[in-house]
Amino acid sequence: MAILDEISTLLQAGRAPKVKAAVQQALDEGIAPKEILENGLLAGMGVIGEKFRNGEVFVPEVLVAARAMNKGVEILKPHMSSGDVVDRGTVVIGTVRGDLHDIGKNLVKMMMEGKGLKVIDLGVDVAPEAYIDAARENQAQIICCSALLTTTMAEMKNVVDALEASEMNGKVKVMIGGAPITQAYCDSIGADKFTPDAASAAEAAVELCAG
Ligand code: B1M
């Protein structure tokens, strides 16, 4: 669809206000929010990621594209939530210490809120103790850690270890995800659950809270 290609192109150019307007236009045309996300916004981010890897664009371009992505997601967010006032549990989420990537984390948050979970968002560059303090303060059932760098994913083990050493051990589950994360890594650090994408993370979180 033309408007989805336009969203992708505008995002790649980092035109945040125009991305917002185009996302709204796509919604007005009756295109499903999930399709706008996957075939418009994420498609554009995929192109930027590929160009970044190949050295065709650099950090500033990626940054403005990421900002445009977040603005587009803001418009979609109310349309992706179930709207039902249900309380299925509380989750603490953040990107691990040393890591500033938050687009995937924000998507996970959005999907979880859409499933009726209360999400406490700690942002990026989150120290292990901060996850545990927030889980304690908010009586959360799950700590969710996102990491995009192979150099920062090791922080997830620090979160698991800090939790095990605290009085919260056994009361809170740890879920992990992000591009470099695998099931094997999850098993190796003793985290409770790995999911590869935002939708499956939200489903797993609902199951863990129910269990
Ligand atoms: Co960065 N970066 N970046 N970057 N960046 C990557 C990740 C990289 C793969 C690019 C590349 O080289 N091809 C590479 C990592 C290489 C590696 O570690 N092996 C990289 C690098 C090297 C860097 C810097 C070191 C670059 C530099 O400064 N020289 C630097 C690090 C800064 C830091 O964090 N300390 C850096 C900086 C940046 C920007 C700031 C410019 C920007 C981030 C802006 C922002 O997030 N606000 C940025 C971006 C945008 C990217 C790419 C292009 C896109 C990432 C993204 O948002 N993808 C990325 C290349 C790529 O991935 N193609 C890259 C879209 C997003 C929806 O996907 O986050 O994977 P993702 O989330 C998915 C799943 O992984 C999953 O759900 C989401 C969708 O369903 N998921 C979870 C995520 N978290 C989850 C948690 C869960 C479950 C599922 O449970 C809890």
Side-chain angles (χ1 to χ4, degrees):
M1 260 169 275
I3 187 67
L4 298 182
D5 290 342
E6 193 180 329
I7 290 169
S8 168
T9 305
L10 288 168
L11 182 141
Q12 290 168 50
R15 311 288 296 271
K18 292 204 166 184
V19 167
K20 280 175 79 170
V23 168
Q24 187 58 56
Q25 187 189 329
L27 284 169
D28 294 344
E29 287 179 16
I31 301 174
K34 189 166 179 285
E35 203 178 337
I36 300 172
L37 177 67
E38 286 174 3
N39 299 329
L41 296 170
L42 285 176
M45 207 62 221
V47 175
I48 282 289
E50 194 57 33
K51 287 187 174 171
F52 190 38
R53 184 164 38 241
N54 298 335
E56 294 168 45
V57 299
F58 301 96
V59 171
E61 287 97 328
V62 180
L63 206 48
V64 288
R67 197 171 301 138
M69 165 94 195
N70 279 330
K71 292 289 174 197
V73 166
E74 270 173 29
I75 302 292
L76 280 186
K77 195 176 160 183
H79 301 271
M80 297 201 67
S81 299
S82 64
D84 298 332
V85 187
V86 284
D87 180 8
R88 287 175 145 176
T90 302
V91 173
V92 167
I93 196 167
T95 304
V96 297
R97 184 161 57 191
D99 199 324
L100 303 176
H101 296 86
D102 67 357
I103 296 173
K105 185 265 296 170
N106 292 342
L107 283 179
V108 173
K109 175 186 174 188
M110 186 174 82
M111 297 283 183
M112 287 183 170
E113 287 177 338
K115 290 261 177 203
L117 293 162
K118 181 177 174 193
V119 184
I120 313 295
D121 186 357
L122 304 181
V124 296
D125 192 17
V126 180
E129 305 73 34
Y131 287 103
I132 294 158
D133 291 346
R136 185 187 302 108
E137 280 160 25
N138 295 284
Q139 296 174 315
Q141 288 91 348
I142 308 174
I143 287 172
C144 284
C145 304
S146 178
L148 262 284
L149 299 172
T150 45
T151 47
T152 58
M153 59 193 270
E155 282 293 334
M156 291 175 163
K157 173 147 174 47
N158 295 336
V159 175
V160 172
D161 289 350
L163 180 63
E164 275 175 10
S166 79
E167 88 294 351
M168 296 292 284
N169 191 26
K171 297 182 191 158
V172 190
K173 305 274 187 206
V174 177
M175 284 180 58
I176 62 171
I181 311 302
T182 60
Q183 184 61 52
Y185 181 68
C186 177
D187 296 341
S188 76
I189 65 168
D192 295 289
K193 187 82 188 167
F194 158 72
T195 51
D197 56 53
S200 58
E203 279 162 23
V206 168
E207 276 172 28
L208 284 180
C209 285

